[in-house]
Amino acid sequence: MQNRMELHFSSCPQNESFARVAIAAFAVQLNPTLPEMADIKTAVSEAVTNAIVHGYRNQEGMVSLCAEYGERRLLTVSVHDDGCGIEDVPAAMQPFYSTGDGTERSGMGFCVMQTFMDAVEVESTVGQGTTVTMRKYITGEVGLHRERMLDEIG
């Protein structure tokens, strides 16, 4: 069985928290552990914030949040904007890289996403927008029971 959702919302900063709640409501169907849920929400928050702050640079636009999972418990989440795009994706994915003036942003958005998700891919075209696709295998309660059994055995 496969499940999929897609949301579109305005690029106003208040919608970052909306995206966190929406992805949590969708991901909870996989019965993730609390740390897994926190990881997913944090990564999505960073991707949406990047779309709003850097993709649209305080201009109005739309952000898309798509998520899906299948039988293998692999959650795939994509965040897309039609903003300015990223000129040099490998440079943008380096720690401390930021298009801002450095006073408010740490330049750690992609690093945070990579830390909390199993895979992160970025596709971007200058003047057309950016899509960040993140994947996380959800071990959930099944994984916890397995870990407990292994601890008891060995």
Side-chain angles (χ1 to χ4, degrees):
M1 176 180 165
Q2 182 102 5
N3 196 4
R4 177 174 165 73
M5 70 95 164
E6 188 169 340
L7 295 172
H8 306 281
F9 48 89
S10 297
S11 62
C12 57
Q14 301 89 318
N15 282 335
E16 176 272 330
S17 60
F18 170 69
R20 286 176 62 93
V21 170
I23 196 62
F26 185 77
V28 76
Q29 299 171 60
L30 290 169
N31 197 26
T33 63
L34 289 176
E36 287 172 334
M37 182 64 84
D39 291 352
I40 294 162
K41 290 169 36 181
T42 300
V44 167
S45 175
E46 290 293 332
V48 170
T49 297
N50 276 358
I52 293 169
V53 172
H54 301 291
Y56 288 114
R57 297 184 180 162
N58 298 319
Q59 295 184 4
E60 191 173 320
M62 295 297 290
V63 177
S64 298
L65 171 65
C66 303
E68 66 182 19
Y69 64 82
E71 293 175 13
R72 296 182 312 152
R73 301 175 61 84
L74 179 65
L75 176 68
T76 301
V77 181
S78 294
V79 176
H80 174 80
D81 68 72
D82 293 318
C84 65
I86 302 170
E87 189 172 324
D88 186 348
V89 172
M93 294 185 77
Q94 294 301 310
F96 309 113
Y97 177 91
S98 180
T99 58
D101 62 7
T103 59
E104 290 187 34
R105 304 287 169 202
S106 67
M108 296 297 288
F110 286 125
C111 292
V112 169
M113 291 178 231
Q114 291 171 319
T115 298
F116 292 119
M117 301 297 275
D118 294 324
V120 177
E121 300 165 10
V122 180
E123 295 178 23
S124 190
T125 303
V126 173
Q128 295 182 15
T130 301
T131 301
V132 176
T133 303
M134 303 172 284
R135 292 180 178 80
K136 185 164 188 75
Y137 179 75
I138 306 300
T139 60
E141 290 301 317
V142 173
L144 284 180
H145 292 303
R146 181 176 180 273
E147 288 176 22
R148 287 183 194 134
M149 286 174 40
L150 290 174
D151 285 345
E152 290 175 12
I153 293 171

